[in-house]
Amino acid sequence: MSDWLKLLLLGILSIVFGIIVLGAPIIASVAITTLAGFMLLIGGGVQVVGGFTVEGAGNKILSILMGLIMVFLGWSFLKNPLEGTLTLATVIMILFIAGGIARIILSFQMRGTQFFWPTLISGVLSLALAGYIFANASVGLALSLLGILLGIEMLFNGFGLIFTALFVKSGENELKQA
């Protein structure tokens, strides 16, 4: 099977899964939270164990403490996945705010260049999205937010893979003609 065909099939598969995720965003959100819970548990456990090998009492305590916090968050996400999903949605909103503010500040440092407006608009859109999430902070939106974002990303990824496949195929055709 040629490379472009593999990319094409992966792109189609990603789009199909993206549509499925968008059809059941709350289930996808809870699945993301559960996966994050497992990852936090494992990562926290490794952090705690690794903390005992760190040099210096302060570093050792900090490392073990951070590991314990990760274990607690992981256990909390697994024990209460709906509340964990709300927590992750809140974290995403905060990240949108922080990223938006950072890009707006950065855009003013780019004033007079071709990058000013795209960077400024990107920052404003992030703040607008965070505002939308905050204004509609109902449990339904928060519970479905992670799934919606995952579904959209899967669609974008699928289209990107399809376009890449077509680009690779056109390159192969040009090589054959040469």
Side-chain angles (χ1 to χ4, degrees):
M1 184 180 300
S2 63
D3 289 341
W4 77 269
L5 189 56
K6 291 175 191 174
L7 290 170
L8 181 68
L9 293 175
L10 284 173
I12 292 169
L13 192 62
S14 184
I15 290 171
V16 168
F17 285 152
I19 292 168
I20 291 169
V21 166
L22 287 173
I26 293 175
I27 293 170
S29 294
V30 172
I32 292 167
T33 303
T34 303
L35 180 63
F38 281 120
M39 292 170 63
L40 284 166
L41 268 178
I42 293 167
V46 170
Q47 180 82 22
V48 168
V49 170
F52 289 106
T53 64
V54 174
E55 297 292 323
N59 291 337
K60 186 177 296 233
I61 291 170
L62 182 61
S63 183
I64 293 170
L65 182 62
M66 290 301 295
L68 290 173
I69 290 170
M70 289 171 65
V71 167
F72 172 76
L73 280 173
W75 174 78
S76 175
F77 283 5
L78 291 174
K79 187 173 190 284
N80 303 305
L82 294 178
E83 288 85 0
T85 301
L86 296 174
T87 301
L88 288 175
T90 303
V91 168
I92 287 173
M93 181 185 68
I94 292 168
L95 289 173
F96 284 164
I97 291 169
I101 291 171
R103 282 194 303 281
I104 289 171
I105 291 169
L106 179 64
S107 74
F108 284 104
Q109 295 173 354
M110 298 176 174
R111 203 175 355 205
T113 70
Q114 64 186 6
F115 306 111
F116 171 73
W117 285 108
T119 306
L120 179 66
I121 291 168
S122 169
V124 169
L125 288 175
S126 286
L127 287 179
L129 185 56
Y132 177 78
I133 293 168
F134 183 75
N136 296 292
S138 68
V139 174
L141 174 67
L143 286 178
S144 61
L145 177 66
L146 297 174
I148 291 170
L149 293 174
L150 175 64
I152 290 170
E153 174 58 27
M154 291 181 84
L155 289 175
F156 287 167
N157 181 62
F159 288 119
L161 285 168
I162 289 172
F163 294 140
T164 302
L166 296 175
F167 176 76
V168 169
K169 181 181 180 188
S170 71
E172 287 178 1
N173 289 340
E174 287 179 18
L175 285 175
K176 288 179 185 176
Q177 293 174 356

